[in-house]
Amino acid sequence: MSQALPHQAPPAASTARDLDAAAVQRALARWAAAPEAPWLHAEVARRMAERLPVIRSQPETVLQWWAHAGASDALLRQAYPKARQLLVEPTPALLARSSQAQAAPWWSARRWTGPGASTLLAADVPPAAGGLLWANMVLHAAVDPPQLLAQWRRALAVDGFLMFSTLGPGTLRELHALYAELGAGSPGAPLVDMHDIGDMLVHAGFADPVMDQEQITLTWATPEALLAELRQLGGNADPARWPGLRTPRWRQRLLRALAARAGADGRIAMRFEVVYGHAFNPPPRPVVAAQTAVSLDDMRSMVRAGGRPTRKHGPDTSP
């Protein structure tokens, strides 16, 4: 389901999230040390790449925001073989990883073909740096989404195109229900609804935002495999999570409860709501003065012309 969003008034209050920034940084550190990006990120990147035909222009520079975790480099190189790729990372550790990945050996064909790629910290991206900003599975990890959207707009060239994906509030509802039954606190931070994201896009100055979402169901053979993958996806950054350390007894209780939810095939299913969005960066709007002065002669001319000003070719002889 796709929905075009009309221009709306900016939200009255900040929509910054109550998120544990330290927990987010720990998740980024795990991504930097992991052998590869989370599988779900790569799958969402593939699905989002199927939407690229909506972009008719060919960007000279593509900004891959949080490039390593986005798992989209090969897809974007294939879609835009002539474009320069700018890999943007949130931390020095992820920047070093992406820089090392781009350092092709002297005998690699990639070293001698195409415009190549550069790496940069997100804080150092200059204004109007690219014609396409691609942010796969990034926004749900942002402590301040409106601030991030404003940063994306500054990084895009005029008439540039934003494409992004994020997790929506329908994600892992089965796990939230299970934690509620166990009286175990929150298993994950609340996620932002796609309509609220659309409002943020308009407030940030983007034009013609379009949002849609789909449900992806993943299954696991064991509770241990499920918990390991959820940790790889980022872990729990909710400040309202259980405040103390969990005991081995608690873990065994959780594993039994998860195993009891297995289907007839013996696998445990969890659903993820994936939200997709795209929008344009329009030219700056001209500043309109609070007061406009119109001469009496021009006003009379507009009245005679039914509201339209007329050009005078001689003296006004009308009574």
Side-chain angles (χ1 to χ4, degrees):
M1 176 183 66
S2 298
Q3 183 171 354
L5 298 164
H7 289 287
Q8 303 176 33
S14 171
T15 48
R17 301 165 62 203
D18 187 14
L19 206 63
D20 187 339
V24 173
Q25 290 300 313
R26 289 193 293 271
L28 296 179
R30 287 197 296 274
W31 285 347
E36 56 188 4
W39 177 89
L40 182 59
H41 289 202
E43 174 60 18
V44 173
R46 183 189 65 78
R47 297 182 183 214
M48 191 161 71
E50 295 176 351
R51 302 161 185 260
L52 281 173
V54 302
I55 306 178
R56 297 182 180 180
S57 61
Q58 293 291 311
E60 295 182 1
T61 300
V62 175
L63 302 176
Q64 299 186 36
W65 209 269
W66 292 21
H68 169 65
S72 306
D73 189 48
L75 292 168
L76 292 170
R77 288 179 184 275
Q78 181 180 7
Y80 303 109
K82 297 181 180 180
R84 172 174 172 256
Q85 301 290 328
L86 182 56
L87 280 60
V88 180
E89 295 292 4
T91 68
L94 283 162
L95 181 70
R97 176 169 186 144
S98 287
S99 298
Q100 183 178 10
Q102 294 302 315
W106 67 267
W107 43 263
S108 173
R110 194 182 71 187
R111 186 181 181 93
W112 308 105
T113 59
S118 303
T119 55
L120 199 63
L121 280 174
D124 298 331
V125 176
L132 169 63
L133 194 153
W134 173 280
N136 180 43
M137 298 291 275
V138 171
L139 193 58
H140 58 262
V143 177
D144 191 342
Q147 184 181 47
L148 179 58
L149 292 178
Q151 186 180 16
W152 286 353
R153 190 180 175 209
R154 286 194 301 271
L156 265 177
V158 171
D159 292 329
F161 198 78
L162 167 67
M163 288 195 74
F164 67 92
S165 62
T166 185
L167 293 177
T171 298
L172 296 174
R173 283 185 174 171
E174 301 89 348
L175 190 64
H176 282 267
L178 177 59
Y179 268 58
E181 291 174 10
L182 298 176
S186 168
L191 296 164
V192 183
D193 181 82
M194 75 172 187
H195 296 93
D196 293 330
I197 296 173
D199 291 342
M200 293 180 207
L201 286 166
V202 173
H203 184 53
F206 284 99
D208 302 326
V210 176
M211 308 292 301
D212 69 290
Q213 60 86 23
E214 67 173 333
Q215 298 282 338
I216 298 177
T217 299
L218 303 185
T219 65
W220 293 267
T222 66
E224 291 85 354
L226 184 157
L227 294 178
E229 184 149 4
L230 293 186
R231 180 171 176 78
Q232 186 187 20
L233 285 171
N236 189 351
D238 191 349
R241 66 187 182 275
W242 190 265
L245 295 175
R246 299 290 195 181
T247 64
R249 180 180 298 177
W250 150 254
R251 179 176 172 81
Q252 289 303 315
R253 184 185 177 200
L254 176 61
L255 293 175
R256 288 194 298 270
L258 287 169
R261 291 179 174 255
D265 59 356
R267 300 183 67 85
I268 308 163
M270 294 280 168
R271 288 174 295 176
F272 293 79
E273 178 187 339
V274 180
V275 174
Y276 302 95
H278 64 259
F280 290 94
N281 182 23
R285 294 182 178 179
V287 178
V288 179
Q291 295 181 349
T292 302
V294 180
S295 70
L296 182 57
D297 287 343
D298 286 342
M299 183 65 72
R300 287 172 176 165
S301 176
M302 291 172 66
V303 170
R304 294 190 188 102
R308 298 186 301 275
T310 60
R311 177 176 295 181
K312 297 177 182 178
H313 296 279
D316 187 358
T317 60
S318 60

